[in-house]
mmCIF file with all atom_site columns, all heavy atoms in Angstrom:
data_model
loop_
_atom_site.group_PDB
_atom_site.id
_atom_site.type_symbol
_atom_site.label_atom_id
_atom_site.label_alt_id
_atom_site.label_comp_id
_atom_site.label_asym_id
_atom_site.label_entity_id
_atom_site.label_seq_id
_atom_site.pdbx_PDB_ins_code
_atom_site.Cartn_x
_atom_site.Cartn_y
_atom_site.Cartn_z
_atom_site.occupancy
_atom_site.B_iso_or_equiv
_atom_site.pdbx_formal_charge
_atom_site.auth_seq_id
_atom_site.auth_comp_id
_atom_site.auth_asym_id
_atom_site.auth_atom_id
_atom_site.pdbx_PDB_model_num
ATOM 1  N N   . LEU Q 1 120 ? 53.821 57.396 55.482 1.00 64.00 ? 120 LEU Q N   1
ATOM 2  C CA  . LEU Q 1 120 ? 55.196 57.784 55.125 1.00 64.00 ? 120 LEU Q CA  1
ATOM 3  C C   . LEU Q 1 120 ? 55.305 58.320 53.698 1.00 64.00 ? 120 LEU Q C   1
ATOM 4  O O   . LEU Q 1 120 ? 56.084 59.262 53.481 1.00 64.00 ? 120 LEU Q O   1
ATOM 5  C CB  . LEU Q 1 120 ? 56.122 56.601 55.252 1.00 64.00 ? 120 LEU Q CB  1
ATOM 6  C CG  . LEU Q 1 120 ? 56.402 56.024 56.692 1.00 64.00 ? 120 LEU Q CG  1
ATOM 7  C CD1 . LEU Q 1 120 ? 57.216 54.822 56.687 1.00 64.00 ? 120 LEU Q CD1 1
ATOM 8  C CD2 . LEU Q 1 120 ? 57.211 57.123 57.491 1.00 64.00 ? 120 LEU Q CD2 1
ATOM 9  N N   . LEU Q 1 121 ? 54.585 57.739 52.807 1.00 65.00 ? 121 LEU Q N   1
ATOM 10 C CA  . LEU Q 1 121 ? 54.776 58.086 51.392 1.00 65.00 ? 121 LEU Q CA  1
ATOM 11 C C   . LEU Q 1 121 ? 53.610 58.923 50.835 1.00 65.00 ? 121 LEU Q C   1
ATOM 12 O O   . LEU Q 1 121 ? 53.673 59.389 49.645 1.00 65.00 ? 121 LEU Q O   1
ATOM 13 C CB  . LEU Q 1 121 ? 54.936 56.794 50.498 1.00 65.00 ? 121 LEU Q CB  1
ATOM 14 C CG  . LEU Q 1 121 ? 56.117 55.980 50.933 1.00 65.00 ? 121 LEU Q CG  1
ATOM 15 C CD1 . LEU Q 1 121 ? 56.272 54.743 50.090 1.00 65.00 ? 121 LEU Q CD1 1
ATOM 16 C CD2 . LEU Q 1 121 ? 57.444 56.762 50.849 1.00 65.00 ? 121 LEU Q CD2 1
ATOM 17 N N   . GLY Q 1 122 ? 52.621 59.182 51.559 1.00 59.00 ? 122 GLY Q N   1
ATOM 18 C CA  . GLY Q 1 122 ? 51.545 60.057 51.046 1.00 59.00 ? 122 GLY Q CA  1
ATOM 19 C C   . GLY Q 1 122 ? 50.407 59.257 50.456 1.00 59.00 ? 122 GLY Q C   1
ATOM 20 O O   . GLY Q 1 122 ? 50.651 58.270 49.635 1.00 59.00 ? 122 GLY Q O   1
ATOM 21 N N   . GLY Q 1 123 ? 49.167 59.663 50.626 1.00 52.00 ? 123 GLY Q N   1
ATOM 22 C CA  . GLY Q 1 123 ? 47.991 58.958 49.934 1.00 52.00 ? 123 GLY Q CA  1
ATOM 23 C C   . GLY Q 1 123 ? 47.836 57.504 50.400 1.00 52.00 ? 123 GLY Q C   1
ATOM 24 O O   . GLY Q 1 123 ? 48.042 57.210 51.621 1.00 52.00 ? 123 GLY Q O   1
ATOM 25 N N   . SER Q 1 124 ? 47.443 56.673 49.578 1.00 48.00 ? 124 SER Q N   1
ATOM 26 C CA  . SER Q 1 124 ? 47.254 55.247 49.919 1.00 48.00 ? 124 SER Q CA  1
ATOM 27 C C   . SER Q 1 124 ? 48.587 54.613 49.790 1.00 48.00 ? 124 SER Q C   1
ATOM 28 O O   . SER Q 1 124 ? 49.592 55.057 49.359 1.00 48.00 ? 124 SER Q O   1
ATOM 29 C CB  . SER Q 1 124 ? 46.283 54.631 48.952 1.00 48.00 ? 124 SER Q CB  1
ATOM 30 O OG  . SER Q 1 124 ? 46.718 54.761 47.647 1.00 48.00 ? 124 SER Q OG  1
ATOM 31 N N   . LEU Q 1 125 ? 48.658 53.313 50.456 1.00 48.00 ? 125 LEU Q N   1
ATOM 32 C CA  . LEU Q 1 125 ? 49.842 52.634 50.421 1.00 48.00 ? 125 LEU Q CA  1
ATOM 33 C C   . LEU Q 1 125 ? 50.323 52.300 48.971 1.00 48.00 ? 125 LEU Q C   1
ATOM 34 O O   . LEU Q 1 125 ? 49.482 51.781 48.142 1.00 48.00 ? 125 LEU Q O   1
ATOM 35 C CB  . LEU Q 1 125 ? 49.618 51.233 51.071 1.00 48.00 ? 125 LEU Q CB  1
ATOM 36 C CG  . LEU Q 1 125 ? 50.881 50.372 51.240 1.00 48.00 ? 125 LEU Q CG  1
ATOM 37 C CD1 . LEU Q 1 125 ? 51.963 50.992 52.163 1.00 48.00 ? 125 LEU Q CD1 1
ATOM 38 C CD2 . LEU Q 1 125 ? 50.452 48.996 51.796 1.00 48.00 ? 125 LEU Q CD2 1
ATOM 39 N N   . PRO Q 1 126 ? 51.526 52.683 48.646 1.00 61.00 ? 126 PRO Q N   1
ATOM 40 C CA  . PRO Q 1 126 ? 51.962 52.446 47.210 1.00 61.00 ? 126 PRO Q CA  1
ATOM 41 C C   . PRO Q 1 126 ? 51.995 51.040 46.787 1.00 61.00 ? 126 PRO Q C   1
ATOM 42 O O   . PRO Q 1 126 ? 52.377 50.164 47.577 1.00 61.00 ? 126 PRO Q O   1
ATOM 43 C CB  . PRO Q 1 126 ? 53.334 53.206 47.189 1.00 61.00 ? 126 PRO Q CB  1
ATOM 44 C CG  . PRO Q 1 126 ? 53.785 53.000 48.581 1.00 61.00 ? 126 PRO Q CG  1
ATOM 45 C CD  . PRO Q 1 126 ? 52.559 53.205 49.453 1.00 61.00 ? 126 PRO Q CD  1
#
Side-chain angles (χ1 to χ4, degrees):
L120 289 171
L121 298 181
S124 57
L125 183 66

